[in-house]
PDB file of all heavy atoms in Angstrom:
ATOM      1  N   LEU A   1      16.930 134.815 -49.824  1.00 96.00           N
ATOM      2  CA  LEU A   1      16.832 136.310 -49.432  1.00 96.00           C
ATOM      3  C   LEU A   1      15.740 136.981 -50.144  1.00 96.00           C
ATOM      4  O   LEU A   1      15.055 137.841 -49.602  1.00 96.00           O
ATOM      5  CB  LEU A   1      18.126 136.938 -49.548  1.00 96.00           C
ATOM      6  CG  LEU A   1      19.294 136.478 -48.615  1.00 96.00           C
ATOM      7  CD1 LEU A   1      20.586 137.203 -48.889  1.00 96.00           C
ATOM      8  CD2 LEU A   1      18.885 136.614 -47.146  1.00 96.00           C
ATOM      9  N   PHE A   2      15.453 136.569 -51.389  1.00 95.00           N
ATOM     10  CA  PHE A   2      14.479 137.225 -52.160  1.00 95.00           C
ATOM     11  C   PHE A   2      13.174 136.557 -52.180  1.00 95.00           C
ATOM     12  O   PHE A   2      12.086 137.186 -52.349  1.00 95.00           O
ATOM     13  CB  PHE A   2      14.988 137.359 -53.661  1.00 95.00           C
ATOM     14  CG  PHE A   2      16.126 138.334 -53.880  1.00 95.00           C
ATOM     15  CD1 PHE A   2      17.505 137.841 -53.721  1.00 95.00           C
ATOM     16  CD2 PHE A   2      15.873 139.722 -54.057  1.00 95.00           C
ATOM     17  CE1 PHE A   2      18.491 138.758 -53.821  1.00 95.00           C
ATOM     18  CE2 PHE A   2      16.973 140.576 -54.274  1.00 95.00           C
ATOM     19  CZ  PHE A   2      18.231 140.151 -54.130  1.00 95.00           C
ATOM     20  N   GLU A   3      13.210 135.255 -51.943  1.00 92.00           N
ATOM     21  CA  GLU A   3      11.974 134.420 -51.965  1.00 92.00           C
ATOM     22  C   GLU A   3      11.244 134.544 -50.620  1.00 92.00           C
ATOM     23  O   GLU A   3      10.020 134.659 -50.653  1.00 92.00           O
ATOM     24  CB  GLU A   3      12.324 132.965 -52.192  1.00 92.00           C
ATOM     25  CG  GLU A   3      11.078 132.104 -52.531  1.00 92.00           C
ATOM     26  CD  GLU A   3      10.612 132.338 -53.935  1.00 92.00           C
ATOM     27  OE1 GLU A   3      11.358 132.776 -54.816  1.00 92.00           O
ATOM     28  OE2 GLU A   3       9.439 132.176 -54.160  1.00 92.00           O
ATOM     29  N   GLY A   4      12.002 134.590 -49.542  1.00 90.00           N
ATOM     30  CA  GLY A   4      11.339 134.663 -48.132  1.00 90.00           C
ATOM     31  C   GLY A   4      10.592 133.350 -47.893  1.00 90.00           C
ATOM     32  O   GLY A   4      10.706 132.339 -48.504  1.00 90.00           O
ATOM     33  N   GLY A   5       9.627 133.557 -46.973  1.00 91.00           N
ATOM     34  CA  GLY A   5       8.720 132.415 -46.623  1.00 91.00           C
ATOM     35  C   GLY A   5       9.416 131.150 -46.237  1.00 91.00           C
ATOM     36  O   GLY A   5      10.438 131.157 -45.489  1.00 91.00           O
ATOM     37  N   ILE A   6       8.987 129.942 -46.737  1.00 92.00           N
ATOM     38  CA  ILE A   6       9.483 128.704 -46.498  1.00 92.00           C
ATOM     39  C   ILE A   6      10.999 128.523 -46.835  1.00 92.00           C
ATOM     40  O   ILE A   6      11.733 127.852 -46.188  1.00 92.00           O
ATOM     41  CB  ILE A   6       8.698 127.572 -47.008  1.00 92.00           C
ATOM     42  CG1 ILE A   6       9.088 126.230 -46.392  1.00 92.00           C
ATOM     43  CG2 ILE A   6       8.909 127.493 -48.501  1.00 92.00           C
ATOM     44  CD1 ILE A   6       8.139 125.095 -46.850  1.00 92.00           C
ATOM     45  N   ALA A   7      11.340 129.277 -47.858  1.00 94.00           N
ATOM     46  CA  ALA A   7      12.781 129.204 -48.300  1.00 94.00           C
ATOM     47  C   ALA A   7      13.720 129.696 -47.194  1.00 94.00           C
ATOM     48  O   ALA A   7      14.801 129.172 -47.042  1.00 94.00           O
ATOM     49  CB  ALA A   7      13.006 130.030 -49.521  1.00 94.00           C
ATOM     50  N   LEU A   8      13.281 130.752 -46.519  1.00 95.00           N
ATOM     51  CA  LEU A   8      14.120 131.255 -45.423  1.00 95.00           C
ATOM     52  C   LEU A   8      14.019 130.378 -44.164  1.00 95.00           C
ATOM     53  O   LEU A   8      15.024 130.144 -43.470  1.00 95.00           O
ATOM     54  CB  LEU A   8      13.697 132.684 -45.067  1.00 95.00           C
ATOM     55  CG  LEU A   8      14.352 133.823 -45.883  1.00 95.00           C
ATOM     56  CD1 LEU A   8      13.894 135.167 -45.386  1.00 95.00           C
ATOM     57  CD2 LEU A   8      15.902 133.794 -45.668  1.00 95.00           C
ATOM     58  N   GLU A   9      12.789 129.916 -43.981  1.00 94.00           N
ATOM     59  CA  GLU A   9      12.524 129.046 -42.781  1.00 94.00           C
ATOM     60  C   GLU A   9      13.406 127.782 -42.747  1.00 94.00           C
ATOM     61  O   GLU A   9      13.852 127.264 -41.738  1.00 94.00           O
ATOM     62  CB  GLU A   9      11.083 128.638 -42.634  1.00 94.00           C
ATOM     63  CG  GLU A   9      10.164 129.886 -42.335  1.00 94.00           C
ATOM     64  CD  GLU A   9       8.700 129.529 -42.393  1.00 94.00           C
ATOM     65  OE1 GLU A   9       8.400 128.274 -42.485  1.00 94.00           O
ATOM     66  OE2 GLU A   9       7.867 130.374 -42.424  1.00 94.00           O
ATOM     67  N   GLN A  10      13.548 127.291 -43.998  1.00 96.00           N
ATOM     68  CA  GLN A  10      14.297 126.014 -44.160  1.00 96.00           C
ATOM     69  C   GLN A  10      15.706 126.198 -44.619  1.00 96.00           C
ATOM     70  O   GLN A  10      16.374 125.183 -44.927  1.00 96.00           O
ATOM     71  CB  GLN A  10      13.530 125.111 -45.092  1.00 96.00           C
ATOM     72  CG  GLN A  10      12.171 124.663 -44.568  1.00 96.00           C
ATOM     73  CD  GLN A  10      11.476 123.663 -45.515  1.00 96.00           C
ATOM     74  OE1 GLN A  10      11.903 123.390 -46.588  1.00 96.00           O
ATOM     75  NE2 GLN A  10      10.350 123.166 -45.039  1.00 96.00           N
ATOM     76  N   LEU A  11      16.200 127.456 -44.684  1.00 97.00           N
ATOM     77  CA  LEU A  11      17.499 127.652 -45.192  1.00 97.00           C
ATOM     78  C   LEU A  11      18.579 126.934 -44.382  1.00 97.00           C
ATOM     79  O   LEU A  11      19.632 126.514 -45.037  1.00 97.00           O
ATOM     80  CB  LEU A  11      17.749 129.216 -45.119  1.00 97.00           C
ATOM     81  CG  LEU A  11      19.113 129.702 -45.747  1.00 97.00           C
ATOM     82  CD1 LEU A  11      19.264 129.263 -47.127  1.00 97.00           C
ATOM     83  CD2 LEU A  11      19.195 131.176 -45.560  1.00 97.00           C
ATOM     84  N   TRP A  12      18.391 126.781 -43.155  1.00 97.00           N
ATOM     85  CA  TRP A  12      19.447 126.058 -42.358  1.00 97.00           C
ATOM     86  C   TRP A  12      19.789 124.688 -42.907  1.00 97.00           C
ATOM     87  O   TRP A  12      20.878 124.212 -42.828  1.00 97.00           O
ATOM     88  CB  TRP A  12      18.965 125.934 -40.906  1.00 97.00           C
ATOM     89  CG  TRP A  12      17.776 125.036 -40.592  1.00 97.00           C
ATOM     90  CD1 TRP A  12      16.528 125.405 -40.601  1.00 97.00           C
ATOM     91  CD2 TRP A  12      17.901 123.658 -40.354  1.00 97.00           C
ATOM     92  NE1 TRP A  12      15.740 124.335 -40.437  1.00 97.00           N
ATOM     93  CE2 TRP A  12      16.563 123.251 -40.153  1.00 97.00           C
ATOM     94  CE3 TRP A  12      18.923 122.697 -40.192  1.00 97.00           C
ATOM     95  CZ2 TRP A  12      16.201 121.895 -39.938  1.00 97.00           C
ATOM     96  CZ3 TRP A  12      18.621 121.436 -39.848  1.00 97.00           C
ATOM     97  CH2 TRP A  12      17.256 121.038 -39.759  1.00 97.00           C
ATOM     98  N   ILE A  13      18.730 124.029 -43.479  1.00 97.00           N
ATOM     99  CA  ILE A  13      18.970 122.675 -43.971  1.00 97.00           C
ATOM    100  C   ILE A  13      19.970 122.747 -45.127  1.00 97.00           C
ATOM    101  O   ILE A  13      20.795 121.813 -45.261  1.00 97.00           O
ATOM    102  CB  ILE A  13      17.634 122.082 -44.540  1.00 97.00           C
ATOM    103  CG1 ILE A  13      16.613 121.923 -43.352  1.00 97.00           C
ATOM    104  CG2 ILE A  13      17.854 120.812 -45.256  1.00 97.00           C
ATOM    105  CD1 ILE A  13      15.254 121.612 -43.814  1.00 97.00           C
ATOM    106  N   PHE A  14      19.881 123.782 -45.961  1.00 98.00           N
ATOM    107  CA  PHE A  14      20.787 123.923 -47.118  1.00 98.00           C
ATOM    108  C   PHE A  14      22.051 124.555 -46.839  1.00 98.00           C
ATOM    109  O   PHE A  14      22.833 124.803 -47.765  1.00 98.00           O
ATOM    110  CB  PHE A  14      19.936 124.647 -48.135  1.00 98.00           C
ATOM    111  CG  PHE A  14      18.598 123.986 -48.481  1.00 98.00           C
ATOM    112  CD1 PHE A  14      17.505 124.500 -48.050  1.00 98.00           C
ATOM    113  CD2 PHE A  14      18.555 122.843 -49.226  1.00 98.00           C
ATOM    114  CE1 PHE A  14      16.210 123.911 -48.210  1.00 98.00           C
ATOM    115  CE2 PHE A  14      17.409 122.160 -49.444  1.00 98.00           C
ATOM    116  CZ  PHE A  14      16.173 122.745 -48.968  1.00 98.00           C
ATOM    117  N   ILE A  15      22.346 124.838 -45.557  1.00 98.00           N
ATOM    118  CA  ILE A  15      23.617 125.242 -45.166  1.00 98.00           C
ATOM    119  C   ILE A  15      24.242 124.179 -44.297  1.00 98.00           C
ATOM    120  O   ILE A  15      25.409 123.762 -44.657  1.00 98.00           O
ATOM    121  CB  ILE A  15      23.544 126.565 -44.237  1.00 98.00           C
ATOM    122  CG1 ILE A  15      22.975 127.769 -45.084  1.00 98.00           C
ATOM    123  CG2 ILE A  15      24.902 126.973 -43.650  1.00 98.00           C
ATOM    124  CD1 ILE A  15      22.759 128.949 -44.253  1.00 98.00           C
ATOM    125  N   VAL A  16      23.623 123.611 -43.313  1.00 98.00           N
ATOM    126  CA  VAL A  16      24.190 122.625 -42.472  1.00 98.00           C
ATOM    127  C   VAL A  16      24.314 121.272 -43.202  1.00 98.00           C
ATOM    128  O   VAL A  16      25.414 120.595 -43.153  1.00 98.00           O
ATOM    129  CB  VAL A  16      23.243 122.289 -41.314  1.00 98.00           C
ATOM    130  CG1 VAL A  16      23.811 121.159 -40.422  1.00 98.00           C
ATOM    131  CG2 VAL A  16      23.122 123.622 -40.417  1.00 98.00           C
ATOM    132  N   GLY A  17      23.368 120.969 -44.098  1.00 98.00           N
ATOM    133  CA  GLY A  17      23.398 119.709 -44.808  1.00 98.00           C
ATOM    134  C   GLY A  17      24.614 119.623 -45.757  1.00 98.00           C
ATOM    135  O   GLY A  17      25.384 118.646 -45.692  1.00 98.00           O
ATOM    136  N   PRO A  18      24.798 120.613 -46.663  1.00 98.00           N
ATOM    137  CA  PRO A  18      25.914 120.583 -47.569  1.00 98.00           C
ATOM    138  C   PRO A  18      27.338 120.602 -46.803  1.00 98.00           C
ATOM    139  O   PRO A  18      28.160 119.912 -47.245  1.00 98.00           O
ATOM    140  CB  PRO A  18      25.698 121.877 -48.468  1.00 98.00           C
ATOM    141  CG  PRO A  18      24.260 121.951 -48.471  1.00 98.00           C
ATOM    142  CD  PRO A  18      23.773 121.611 -47.011  1.00 98.00           C
ATOM    143  N   PHE A  19      27.390 121.425 -45.746  1.00 98.00           N
ATOM    144  CA  PHE A  19      28.596 121.549 -45.059  1.00 98.00           C
ATOM    145  C   PHE A  19      28.937 120.062 -44.350  1.00 98.00           C
ATOM    146  O   PHE A  19      30.079 119.681 -44.342  1.00 98.00           O
ATOM    147  CB  PHE A  19      28.569 122.528 -43.951  1.00 98.00           C
ATOM    148  CG  PHE A  19      28.869 123.924 -44.483  1.00 98.00           C
ATOM    149  CD1 PHE A  19      28.296 125.084 -43.938  1.00 98.00           C
ATOM    150  CD2 PHE A  19      29.856 124.152 -45.513  1.00 98.00           C
ATOM    151  CE1 PHE A  19      28.660 126.329 -44.382  1.00 98.00           C
ATOM    152  CE2 PHE A  19      30.151 125.332 -46.066  1.00 98.00           C
ATOM    153  CZ  PHE A  19      29.543 126.501 -45.433  1.00 98.00           C
ATOM    154  N   ALA A  20      27.901 119.477 -43.824  1.00 98.00           N
ATOM    155  CA  ALA A  20      28.145 118.127 -43.262  1.00 98.00           C
ATOM    156  C   ALA A  20      28.574 117.210 -44.298  1.00 98.00           C
ATOM    157  O   ALA A  20      29.390 116.335 -44.115  1.00 98.00           O
ATOM    158  CB  ALA A  20      26.870 117.664 -42.598  1.00 98.00           C
ATOM    159  N   GLY A  21      27.885 117.168 -45.490  1.00 98.00           N
ATOM    160  CA  GLY A  21      28.306 116.338 -46.638  1.00 98.00           C
ATOM    161  C   GLY A  21      29.681 116.563 -47.056  1.00 98.00           C
ATOM    162  O   GLY A  21      30.431 115.604 -47.387  1.00 98.00           O
ATOM    163  N   ALA A  22      30.159 117.866 -47.110  1.00 98.00           N
ATOM    164  CA  ALA A  22      31.463 118.173 -47.534  1.00 98.00           C
ATOM    165  C   ALA A  22      32.485 117.602 -46.519  1.00 98.00           C
ATOM    166  O   ALA A  22      33.506 117.089 -46.962  1.00 98.00           O
ATOM    167  CB  ALA A  22      31.661 119.672 -47.584  1.00 98.00           C
ATOM    168  N   ALA A  23      32.224 117.736 -45.254  1.00 98.00           N
ATOM    169  CA  ALA A  23      33.112 117.107 -44.239  1.00 98.00           C
ATOM    170  C   ALA A  23      33.246 115.615 -44.368  1.00 98.00           C
ATOM    171  O   ALA A  23      34.343 115.051 -44.270  1.00 98.00           O
ATOM    172  CB  ALA A  23      32.571 117.446 -42.825  1.00 98.00           C
ATOM    173  N   LEU A  24      32.083 114.922 -44.708  1.00 98.00           N
ATOM    174  CA  LEU A  24      32.096 113.509 -44.835  1.00 98.00           C
ATOM    175  C   LEU A  24      32.984 113.144 -46.182  1.00 98.00           C
ATOM    176  O   LEU A  24      33.756 112.235 -46.102  1.00 98.00           O
ATOM    177  CB  LEU A  24      30.767 112.959 -45.074  1.00 98.00           C
ATOM    178  CG  LEU A  24      29.815 112.856 -43.853  1.00 98.00           C
ATOM    179  CD1 LEU A  24      28.421 112.486 -44.212  1.00 98.00           C
ATOM    180  CD2 LEU A  24      30.449 111.857 -42.855  1.00 98.00           C
ATOM    181  N   ALA A  25      32.822 113.947 -47.158  1.00 98.00           N
ATOM    182  CA  ALA A  25      33.568 113.689 -48.369  1.00 98.00           C
ATOM    183  C   ALA A  25      35.059 113.858 -48.176  1.00 98.00           C
ATOM    184  O   ALA A  25      35.874 113.103 -48.649  1.00 98.00           O
ATOM    185  CB  ALA A  25      33.063 114.662 -49.451  1.00 98.00           C
ATOM    186  N   ALA A  26      35.397 114.861 -47.427  1.00 97.00           N
ATOM    187  CA  ALA A  26      36.853 115.092 -47.015  1.00 97.00           C
ATOM    188  C   ALA A  26      37.378 113.862 -46.309  1.00 97.00           C
ATOM    189  O   ALA A  26      38.538 113.365 -46.584  1.00 97.00           O
ATOM    190  CB  ALA A  26      37.088 116.361 -46.278  1.00 97.00           C
ATOM    191  N   GLY A  27      36.631 113.338 -45.360  1.00 96.00           N
ATOM    192  CA  GLY A  27      37.032 112.179 -44.643  1.00 96.00           C
ATOM    193  C   GLY A  27      37.115 110.938 -45.480  1.00 96.00           C
ATOM    194  O   GLY A  27      38.176 110.245 -45.386  1.00 96.00           O
ATOM    195  N   LEU A  28      36.192 110.809 -46.419  1.00 96.00           N
ATOM    196  CA  LEU A  28      36.207 109.564 -47.324  1.00 96.00           C
ATOM    197  C   LEU A  28      37.356 109.740 -48.256  1.00 96.00           C
ATOM    198  O   LEU A  28      38.047 108.675 -48.527  1.00 96.00           O
ATOM    199  CB  LEU A  28      34.957 109.586 -48.097  1.00 96.00           C
ATOM    200  CG  LEU A  28      33.639 108.966 -47.374  1.00 96.00           C
ATOM    201  CD1 LEU A  28      32.405 109.200 -48.298  1.00 96.00           C
ATOM    202  CD2 LEU A  28      33.879 107.548 -47.065  1.00 96.00           C
ATOM    203  N   TRP A  29      37.633 110.942 -48.737  1.00 96.00           N
ATOM    204  CA  TRP A  29      38.817 111.005 -49.698  1.00 96.00           C
ATOM    205  C   TRP A  29      40.159 110.761 -49.012  1.00 96.00           C
ATOM    206  O   TRP A  29      41.010 110.155 -49.590  1.00 96.00           O
ATOM    207  CB  TRP A  29      38.747 112.408 -50.326  1.00 96.00           C
ATOM    208  CG  TRP A  29      39.984 112.563 -51.304  1.00 96.00           C
ATOM    209  CD1 TRP A  29      41.083 113.378 -51.160  1.00 96.00           C
ATOM    210  CD2 TRP A  29      40.212 111.864 -52.467  1.00 96.00           C
ATOM    211  NE1 TRP A  29      41.912 113.201 -52.228  1.00 96.00           N
ATOM    212  CE2 TRP A  29      41.423 112.214 -53.040  1.00 96.00           C
ATOM    213  CE3 TRP A  29      39.449 110.857 -53.147  1.00 96.00           C
ATOM    214  CZ2 TRP A  29      41.893 111.652 -54.285  1.00 96.00           C
ATOM    215  CZ3 TRP A  29      39.908 110.278 -54.379  1.00 96.00           C
ATOM    216  CH2 TRP A  29      41.138 110.703 -54.866  1.00 96.00           C
ATOM    217  N   CYS A  30      40.213 111.164 -47.742  1.00 93.00           N
ATOM    218  CA  CYS A  30      41.428 110.758 -47.047  1.00 93.00           C
ATOM    219  C   CYS A  30      41.623 109.241 -46.819  1.00 93.00           C
ATOM    220  O   CYS A  30      42.775 108.772 -46.686  1.00 93.00           O
ATOM    221  CB  CYS A  30      41.482 111.516 -45.664  1.00 93.00           C
ATOM    222  SG  CYS A  30      41.937 113.230 -45.800  1.00 93.00           S
ATOM    223  N   LEU A  31      40.459 108.597 -46.693  1.00 93.00           N
ATOM    224  CA  LEU A  31      40.528 107.144 -46.547  1.00 93.00           C
ATOM    225  C   LEU A  31      40.990 106.423 -47.823  1.00 93.00           C
ATOM    226  O   LEU A  31      41.686 105.473 -47.828  1.00 93.00           O
ATOM    227  CB  LEU A  31      39.157 106.560 -46.055  1.00 93.00           C
ATOM    228  CG  LEU A  31      38.752 106.870 -44.621  1.00 93.00           C
ATOM    229  CD1 LEU A  31      37.341 106.404 -44.335  1.00 93.00           C
ATOM    230  CD2 LEU A  31      39.737 106.271 -43.597  1.00 93.00           C
ATOM    231  N   ILE A  32      40.334 106.870 -48.965  1.00 92.00           N
ATOM    232  CA  ILE A  32      40.677 106.153 -50.187  1.00 92.00           C
ATOM    233  C   ILE A  32      41.801 106.774 -51.021  1.00 92.00           C
ATOM    234  O   ILE A  32      42.380 106.169 -51.934  1.00 92.00           O
ATOM    235  CB  ILE A  32      39.327 106.077 -51.086  1.00 92.00           C
ATOM    236  CG1 ILE A  32      38.929 107.508 -51.454  1.00 92.00           C
ATOM    237  CG2 ILE A  32      38.216 105.391 -50.387  1.00 92.00           C
ATOM    238  CD1 ILE A  32      37.773 107.566 -52.458  1.00 92.00           C
ATOM    239  N   GLY A  33      42.205 107.960 -50.584  1.00 82.00           N
ATOM    240  CA  GLY A  33      43.369 108.617 -51.232  1.00 82.00           C
ATOM    241  C   GLY A  33      44.380 108.929 -50.155  1.00 82.00           C
ATOM    242  O   GLY A  33      44.620 110.142 -49.916  1.00 82.00           O
ATOM    243  N   CYS A  34      44.955 107.878 -49.602  1.00 61.00           N
ATOM    244  CA  CYS A  34      45.768 108.062 -48.359  1.00 61.00           C
ATOM    245  C   CYS A  34      46.944 108.911 -48.466  1.00 61.00           C
ATOM    246  O   CYS A  34      47.613 109.161 -47.489  1.00 61.00           O
ATOM    247  CB  CYS A  34      46.045 106.685 -47.774  1.00 61.00           C
ATOM    248  SG  CYS A  34      47.043 105.657 -48.925  1.00 61.00           S
TER     249      CYS A  34
END
């Protein structure tokens, strides 16, 4: 928000990517910690 430019243009990567990774981690934990 303060940097602007490419940081704002590519911000979606750093929202969608981590959320997708978190969902994968939850699934993996359910598999190995049943």
Side-chain angles (χ1 to χ4, degrees):
L1 293 178
F2 291 88
E3 193 73 27
I6 193 172
L8 273 179
E9 292 173 11
Q10 297 184 351
L11 181 59
W12 68 271
I13 297 171
F14 304 101
I15 297 175
V16 178
F19 278 148
L24 285 174
L28 282 173
W29 181 245
C30 282
L31 287 175
I32 63 178
C34 60

